[in-house]
Amino acid sequence: MARIGFIGLGRMGLPMARNAAKAGHAVRAYDITTAYHQAATEAGIVPCNRVDDAIADCEFAITMVPTGRQVHEVYLGDEGVLAKLPAGALVIDSSTINISEARALHDAGRTRGLAVLDAPVSGGVMGAEAGTLTFMVGGDAADLERARPVLEGMGHRIFHAGAAGSGQIAKICNNMMAACGMIVTAEAFALAKRFGMPAETLREIVSVSTGSCFSMTNYPPVPGLLPNVPSSREYTNGFAAALMLKDLRLAEQAGLDAGLPLPLGQAAAALFGMFCSAGHGQLDYSAIIKMLEGN
Ligand code: NAD
């Protein structure tokens, strides 16, 4: 059993913390809002009004906040969590953030003698609730082994992606591919429909042909093809288009930093930017099909 200080109890963080508590760990939690307090208490988590109370005496500090800005707010500076963690505590940041911001956090930890892992996740809110997330971990392999029992309470697949920042590299590449795959799948469904082909027919054929991809087989943007996907529940309770846009912008930034053109990634960012500007940012990202179909 480990002592965990969990920071950021939103759509992902609350179910992750809940599963960590269910796995037998002692979880103390902090968020800038108190909306999670009742649900946390019911799950055996101790909600704290100050971040210092959540991390006092912890062996693992876990963050699940929106962006690198909040990650740095939480950890850095004289009043930040890095300055206050007990010696030997391991930092696990599971937020999806910029690669260079993740590396800066590793560096800041190192200067204080604290180990850091960047450990973004895939699997969405459903995976967080079911405890079946995939963790992509950057940092020291030995530190990952130390964290593994904690991560196993929240996820099924835990990959060591490489050195500091590598978890974010894998995550950003994955989401850029997922976005591009979704857009082209939606275009294919829209095109086939214009020529009178039912979506079922296209899916059946393409799923076993060279165009097959996750969006076609497991996450179709057309409602009614699969029961348990966001498109079949009005595009709710999935991975918000606004978050996909955020991740595409992280990919764009990474491409700029690396001097590498990412033409499809940038096109996907532009399309999701238009979709979110039209007020659909809270819909699941598969809802982009509405815009591509002209609806
Ligand atoms: P969310 O907005 O639901 O939750 C974030 C929480 O962080 C909020 O409760 C907020 O109050 C809290 N917070 C913000 N600043 C804080 C601070 N300084 N101190 C303490 N708490 C603070 O977001 P989410 O959907 O849980 O996503 C969190 C991260 O996980 C993001 O980086 C996102 O990209 C990533 N992610 C999300 C999903 C998903 O499906 N939602 C899937 C994979 C990865």
Side-chain angles (χ1 to χ4, degrees), residues 6 12 15-17 19-20 62-64 92-95 117-123 127-128 131-138 144 147-162 166-168 170-171:
F6 207 111
M12 295 292 289
M16 288 168 70
N19 282 324
I62 303 179
T63 27
M64 197 54 170
I92 303 173
D93 177 38
S94 281
S95 327
L117 295 172
D118 52 291
V121 300
S122 180
T132 56
L133 292 170
T134 295
F135 282 89
M136 313 171 193
V137 184
L144 169 55
R148 194 176 286 277
V150 168
L151 301 182
E152 277 173 349
M154 302 180 281
H156 273 178
R157 294 190 199 84
I158 296 153
F159 291 101
H160 185 220
S166 301
Q168 300 296 351
K171 171 69 181 170

Side-chain angles (χ1 to χ4, degrees), residues 7-12 30-33 64-66 70 73-74 95-96 121 124-125 171 239 243 246:
I7 302 162
L9 284 287
R11 276 171 288 193
M12 295 292 289
Y30 171 76
D31 192 291
I32 48 172
T33 80
M64 197 54 170
V65 293
Q70 288 87 25
E73 262 169 33
V74 166
S95 327
T96 305
V121 300
V125 175
K171 171 69 181 170
F239 183 56
L243 284 180
K246 180 199 75 153

Side-chain angles (χ1 to χ4, degrees), residues 34-292:
T34 55
Y36 74 99
H37 275 207
Q38 191 181 337
T41 306
E42 283 165 11
I45 298 165
V46 180
C48 301
N49 290 319
R50 297 168 62 243
V51 69
D52 296 14
D53 296 334
I55 57 154
D57 200 32
C58 76
E59 296 163 287
F60 297 88
I62 303 179
T63 27
M64 197 54 170
V65 293
T67 71
R69 188 166 63 81
Q70 288 87 25
V71 170
H72 282 199
E73 262 169 33
V74 166
Y75 283 112
L76 305 185
D78 290 343
E79 291 303 306
V81 164
L82 288 185
K84 296 178 172 173
L85 279 173
L90 178 55
V91 170
I92 303 173
D93 177 38
S94 281
S95 327
T96 305
I97 69 171
N98 190 300
I99 297 160
S100 50
E101 287 168 329
R103 287 180 172 162
L105 180 63
H106 281 263
D107 291 344
R110 206 170 295 123
T111 59
R112 293 190 181 267
L114 292 163
V116 174
L117 295 172
D118 52 291
V121 300
S122 180
V125 175
M126 283 184 293
E129 280 167 358
T132 56
L133 292 170
T134 295
F135 282 89
M136 313 171 193
V137 184
D140 242 48
D143 293 326
L144 169 55
E145 287 320 305
R146 199 146 59 95
R148 194 176 286 277
V150 168
L151 301 182
E152 277 173 349
M154 302 180 281
H156 273 178
R157 294 190 199 84
I158 296 153
F159 291 101
H160 185 220
S166 301
Q168 300 296 351
I169 297 171
K171 171 69 181 170
I172 288 168
C173 289
N174 178 74
N175 280 23
M176 180 175 74
M177 291 178 71
C180 292
M182 182 56 75
I183 290 166
V184 78
T185 301
E187 285 181 357
F189 276 123
L191 181 64
K193 188 173 167 185
R194 288 288 164 99
F195 285 91
M197 177 178 285
E200 292 81 357
T201 307
L202 183 72
R203 181 164 175 271
E204 192 184 358
I205 295 169
V206 172
S207 292
V208 293
S209 301
T210 49
S212 181
C213 65
F214 185 81
S215 312
M216 182 59 81
T217 55
N218 293 40
Y219 210 97
V222 174
L225 293 177
L226 285 180
N228 293 320
V229 291
S231 59
S232 295
R233 48 172 186 263
E234 309 281 333
Y235 302 97
T236 59
N237 211 8
F239 183 56
L243 284 180
M244 183 56 98
L245 176 60
K246 180 199 75 153
D247 293 353
L248 286 165
R249 292 199 165 134
L250 293 178
E252 268 186 317
Q253 185 58 51
L256 283 173
D257 292 346
L260 183 73
L262 301 171
L264 288 186
Q266 284 185 326
L271 286 167
F272 275 101
M274 286 162 63
F275 188 61
C276 292
S277 300
H280 307 306
Q282 290 316 306
L283 293 181
D284 180 73
Y285 76 108
S286 61
I288 191 101
I289 193 169
K290 290 167 177 261
M291 187 174 86
L292 298 169

Side-chain angles (χ1 to χ4, degrees), residues 14-29:
L14 177 59
M16 288 168 70
R18 196 187 275 131
N19 282 324
K22 210 161 119 190
H25 302 298
V27 184
R28 298 172 68 82

